[in-house]
Amino acid sequence: MTPMFHQFLKICMQDFPETLEYTNTDGNNGTATTTVLKREMLFIPEGDSNSQDNIEIPTCVNYRLHKSRGNHILDSCVQLIDEHLGAKYRRASRTMYGNRKPWKANKLAEMKSPNLVYVSYWDNGALAAFASFMLTEETGLVEGDAAHEVSVPVIYLYEVHVACVHRGHGIGRRLLERALCEGVARHVRCLYEEFFGVALTVFSDNTRARRLYEALGFYRAPGSPAAGAPTTRPTRHGGERVVVPRDPLYYVYCLHMP
Ligand SMILES: CC(=O)SCCNC(=O)CCNC(=O)[C@H](O)C(C)(C)COP(=O)(O)OP(=O)(O)OC[C@H]1O[C@@H](n2cnc3c(N)ncnc32)[C@H](O)[C@@H]1OP(=O)(O)O
């Protein structure tokens, strides 16, 4: 494990709260109930279980050393992704991953990429929410870089999901805004002069998630896929028809934190 990754994990443990709470008030009788979600963190280390770099980090599950717990967390995460976006992934898998394997096999392989960090929150043993991300390098984010070749250090958000029963209580916003952007990314910014900020990929038709990202200041990255400009085509009767190109499958969003 590199000292940088170790430091990154420490920052994540500091900035993501150990519990998340929200209160629900019953509209009929005014009774308030508080739900407390408990944090569990997981990271995917580089190398195998025999690697000397494989160290125990208190309160953060090392996937290679605790495979059974790690697989339980990953399986719960992929199940939540399936509930929320399974239909989209089924349609898009071949284009996104360039093979004919079932999307879940592709997704699980991606989810085990070294240096991914998972921050999950649990409600009595059931996964309530999670975010997964990686400190990595990415191109296509820098304005004015016409060839989209400049590579910058960035926190890439792979997934953020809140189970339906826990939605609309500010959990998504708290995880992204307070913990990831104002917390982790700001702290990483202090370590890295050239650190860019946060980036992510979102299906273009996922309007709810896009609205949340845009509300937090994310914008379409310069190198993101984009719909082309509308064009006109002559009709058989000598008129003109406007052709509006379809949205791309996904957009890349980013948040620059100078
Ligand atoms: C990189 C990626 O992972 S892209 C994929 C993103 N994830 C998904 O699409 C999975 C399915 N969706 C979800 O899990 C959730 O809806 C999330 C993560 C997008 C948002 O989580 P929530 O905890 O519900 O969000 P939260 O309560 O913080 O509300 C955030 C915003 O969503 C909007 N919102 C909240 N409730 C609703 C609702 N019922 N209908 C529409 N919009 C709503 C509001 O605009 C809110 O903004 P505000 O904070 O200014 O009021």
Side-chain angles (χ1 to χ4, degrees), residues 26-250:
D26 185 325
N28 293 326
N29 57 20
T31 318
T33 45
T34 300
T35 304
V36 181
L37 308 176
K38 293 202 179 121
R39 186 188 79 184
E40 179 152 28
M41 288 185 50
L42 166 74
F43 71 99
I44 316 289
E46 285 183 315
D48 59 22
S49 50
N50 299 321
S51 164
Q52 299 211 326
D53 283 349
N54 256 321
I55 55 168
E56 291 277 8
I57 308 268
T59 76
C60 194
V61 176
N62 176 331
Y63 179 71
R64 306 257 180 256
L65 299 182
H66 302 281
K67 271 239 163 95
S68 135
R69 184 65 203 155
N71 280 328
H72 175 69
I73 296 173
L74 293 185
D75 289 344
S76 304
C77 290
V78 91
Q79 199 178 316
L80 208 56
I81 298 172
D82 192 6
E83 283 165 31
H84 298 162
L85 300 175
K88 290 191 208 296
Y89 274 113
R90 254 183 288 281
R91 284 197 298 272
S93 183
R94 214 190 299 176
T95 312
M96 288 174 73
Y97 297 106
N99 64 43
R100 289 169 175 268
K101 288 186 200 163
W103 76 269
K104 269 195 204 176
N106 284 320
K107 192 59 161 174
L108 265 169
E110 175 193 290
M111 288 168 76
K112 291 176 190 168
S113 305
N115 296 329
L116 260 175
V117 177
Y118 291 80
V119 186
S120 58
Y121 287 90
W122 301 75
D123 179 22
N124 291 315
L127 181 63
F130 80 94
S132 60
F133 47 85
M134 188 191 283
L135 182 58
T136 181
E137 301 236 329
E138 195 59 39
T139 55
L141 305 179
V142 177
E143 296 285 352
D145 164 27
H148 308 307
E149 279 175 344
V150 176
S151 183
V152 283
V154 72
I155 295 175
Y156 211 98
L157 178 72
Y158 275 57
E159 308 281 347
V160 56
H161 287 257
V162 176
C164 293
V165 288
H166 300 287
R167 281 194 203 162
H169 295 288
I171 292 173
R173 188 179 263 271
R174 264 191 279 175
L175 292 180
L176 291 183
E177 187 175 37
R178 227 184 290 165
L180 190 68
C181 297
E182 290 172 4
V184 178
R186 288 267 164 235
H187 284 122
V188 172
R189 177 78 192 74
C190 299
L191 302 176
Y192 257 116
E193 190 54 31
E194 11 20 312
F195 180 69
F196 181 87
V198 182
L200 59 92
T201 305
V202 59
F203 284 121
S204 59
D205 62 355
N206 192 345
T207 42
R208 183 170 171 169
R210 283 178 54 195
R211 224 181 301 143
L212 171 59
Y213 300 138
E214 284 163 15
L216 299 183
F218 282 80
Y219 55 92
R220 227 179 276 175
S224 169
T231 51
T232 51
R233 288 227 184 110
T235 64
R236 256 190 287 164
H237 310 292
E240 276 192 336
R241 185 165 60 93
V242 177
V243 181
V244 180
R246 277 208 252 155
D247 283 336
L249 180 60
Y250 62 86

